[in-house]
Amino acid sequence: MAAADRVLQFLRGPTGSPAAAAPARVARRGLPQTRHQLHFRQAPAGTRRASVSCRSSCTSSGSGEEERLTYKDAGVDVDAGNELVRRIARMTPWIGGFSGLFPFGKYYLAASTDGVGTKLKLAFETGIHDTVGIDLVAMCVNDIITSGAKPLFFLDYYATSKLDVDVAEKTAEMPGFYAKDEYDVCGFALGIVEKDKLIDGKNIVKGDVLIGLPSSGVHSNGFSLVRRVLEKSGFSLSDQLPRNDGITTTVGEALLAPTVIYVKQVLEIISKGGVKGLAHITGGGFTENIPRVFPSGLGAKIFTGSWEVPPVFSWLQQVGNIDDAEMRRTFNMGIGMVLVVGRESADRIIEDTRGANPAYRIGEVIQGKGVQYV
């Protein structure tokens, strides 16, 4: 079986889990929109198997005596980032959306820039580079579509210490700046939306429904904590993750699954009406990203058992001894994009997405603040 197929089967959930008990549901999981043949290095014979007891859900089971890892311990302070945004907002009150908007006649231009972050470190270690470009495009265009904009074009920046034509065809060489065999990438995307079709969350009300679109795994955020978990556990990227169905999957294969590009699916849903807001679930997870689309005084209630959580998150939580709140504030937990829709539109949208690109009713808008998990 091809390595790509092994990754997809791993992300769908192990045999014996609730996911496996619902074959119709599992059959439509996978990598929505992105169809890319992955080429992974094969794990050498004799690699270790990580022991993980969690299967279909992400629930911490540590006793509390062992050190719990956090995103802040790994070097990323989400609270500090939020404080920076708050201070900048004093001068630019419109900041806080997922993309920048510029009025252009009867349109808005929507712009976004992003990188892949420390996920690149895993690409360097494994030699898997052919998914990085997908991550880069996805991180930019997924932000743009949250305003209802259609991406027009994408620009990239690639820099390395010394050009390796087997890794990249074009680059800016910077000897002495990057470590040998390493590089950095950055993407820029521009989209357009008519002003009267802008999606800005202003019409969201209590009782609206939250619909989640599945992720392919960790996507491109939280890798500082991922790498800290790997360091603590002593496992390597070539070690095998546990499966009960005989399929071999390595840690590296699961973690480097490319970010889903949601453009086609989301724009098709938007075109049929009923979408009031969208949140791209990146760094900060549900806890930080969903409230960004709400008017003041509204919050979210998330039904935690309403979608399939990829097993890679259970593995990270157990090995890293990470509590539930930290997981939900760091990772996408299996949902990469959240749509806020009117209650009258929810059933139609979910029904329309049956097939290769599913959607799940994962929660609702409530009176209050922040995100509640039930």
Side-chain angles (χ1 to χ4, degrees):
M1 179 177 292
D5 295 329
R6 298 204 307 272
V7 174
L8 295 182
Q9 291 199 24
F10 170 75
L11 293 172
R12 287 171 186 147
T15 301
S17 71
R25 234 176 133 196
V26 174
R28 59 179 192 264
R29 288 302 300 271
L31 303 181
Q33 310 305 325
T34 301
R35 297 293 182 266
H36 183 75
Q37 180 65 40
L38 306 183
H39 303 284
F40 294 113
R41 290 179 178 175
Q42 299 299 311
T47 51
R48 296 176 298 173
R49 288 185 178 270
S51 175
V52 181
S53 59
C54 299
R55 291 183 180 178
S56 60
S57 62
C58 194
T59 306
S60 57
S61 56
S63 64
E65 297 177 358
E66 185 182 354
E67 176 193 5
R68 290 189 178 275
L69 292 183
T70 67
Y71 208 10
K72 187 174 182 179
D73 292 337
V76 179
D77 191 336
V78 175
D79 290 327
N82 291 339
E83 175 61 17
L84 176 60
V85 171
R86 188 186 68 81
R87 294 185 185 185
I88 295 175
R90 296 173 184 169
M91 299 174 283
T92 55
W94 55 86
I95 195 174
F98 290 91
S99 61
L101 297 175
F102 180 80
F104 187 71
K106 66 176 184 178
Y107 301 96
Y108 280 112
L109 298 178
S112 176
T113 182
D114 211 334
V116 179
T118 55
K119 187 175 185 177
L120 287 176
K121 293 289 188 181
L122 275 64
F124 302 153
E125 292 181 40
T126 61
I128 301 172
H129 303 285
D130 57 347
T131 61
V132 171
I134 298 174
D135 289 319
L136 191 62
V137 173
M139 293 303 292
C140 294
V141 298
N142 287 346
D143 277 349
I144 284 178
I145 59 175
T146 61
S147 62
K150 178 181 180 180
L152 295 175
F153 61 83
F154 175 83
L155 301 173
D156 66 276
Y157 169 84
Y158 182 102
T160 185
S161 174
K162 182 175 178 58
L163 175 61
D164 182 339
V165 294
D166 292 329
V167 174
E169 295 181 357
K170 295 181 181 179
T171 183
E173 295 186 74
M174 297 182 180
F177 188 79
Y178 295 103
K180 185 178 182 297
D181 298 327
E182 293 191 359
Y183 58 86
D184 194 16
V185 290
C186 186
F188 311 84
L190 184 72
I192 192 167
V193 59
E194 294 181 25
K195 286 184 176 179
D196 60 357
K197 294 182 179 179
L198 178 71
I199 297 176
D200 56 12
K202 290 181 179 179
N203 297 323
I204 295 174
V205 297
K206 177 184 176 182
D208 283 343
V209 175
L210 303 180
I211 293 178
L213 305 183
S215 70
S216 59
V218 184
H219 279 186
S220 299
N221 292 98
F223 277 87
S224 293
L225 182 53
V226 168
R227 292 172 59 236
R228 182 69 181 88
V229 170
L230 287 169
E231 178 186 336
K232 175 185 177 182
S233 69
F235 288 106
S236 74
L237 295 172
S238 61
D239 285 327
Q240 299 174 358
L241 283 170
R243 292 299 303 264
N244 297 325
D245 52 11
I247 295 176
T248 300
T249 303
T250 68
V251 174
E253 288 173 353
L255 293 175
L256 285 166
T259 306
V260 175
I261 297 176
Y262 293 102
V263 174
K264 183 178 180 180
Q265 183 181 15
V266 166
L267 291 183
E268 183 176 348
I269 293 173
I270 290 173
S271 71
K272 298 178 181 179
V275 178
K276 298 182 178 183
L278 298 102
H280 184 196
I281 308 303
T282 57
F286 280 15
T287 304
E288 300 294 336
N289 285 294
I290 294 179
R292 293 170 61 180
V293 304
F294 292 157
S296 178
L298 294 179
K301 179 185 292 185
I302 299 296
F303 310 135
T304 55
S306 58
W307 73 93
E308 302 166 25
V309 178
V312 67
F313 294 109
S314 299
W315 181 82
L316 286 168
Q317 180 170 27
Q318 181 172 324
V319 173
N321 195 30
I322 306 169
D323 66 30
D324 290 342
E326 192 69 19
M327 291 292 295
R328 295 163 178 164
R329 199 187 184 205
T330 303
F331 302 111
N332 65 61
M333 301 307 297
I335 297 293
M337 184 73 70
V338 173
L339 291 70
V340 186
V341 307
R343 187 174 292 276
E344 68 283 356
S345 303
D347 290 340
R348 170 182 56 79
I349 291 173
I350 292 174
E351 183 64 30
D352 286 348
T353 60
R354 294 190 184 279
N357 304 314
Y360 304 107
R361 185 191 295 258
I362 66 167
E364 62 185 12
V365 179
I366 61 174
Q367 202 74 36
K369 184 179 181 181
V371 179
Q372 298 178 14
Y373 299 91
V374 296

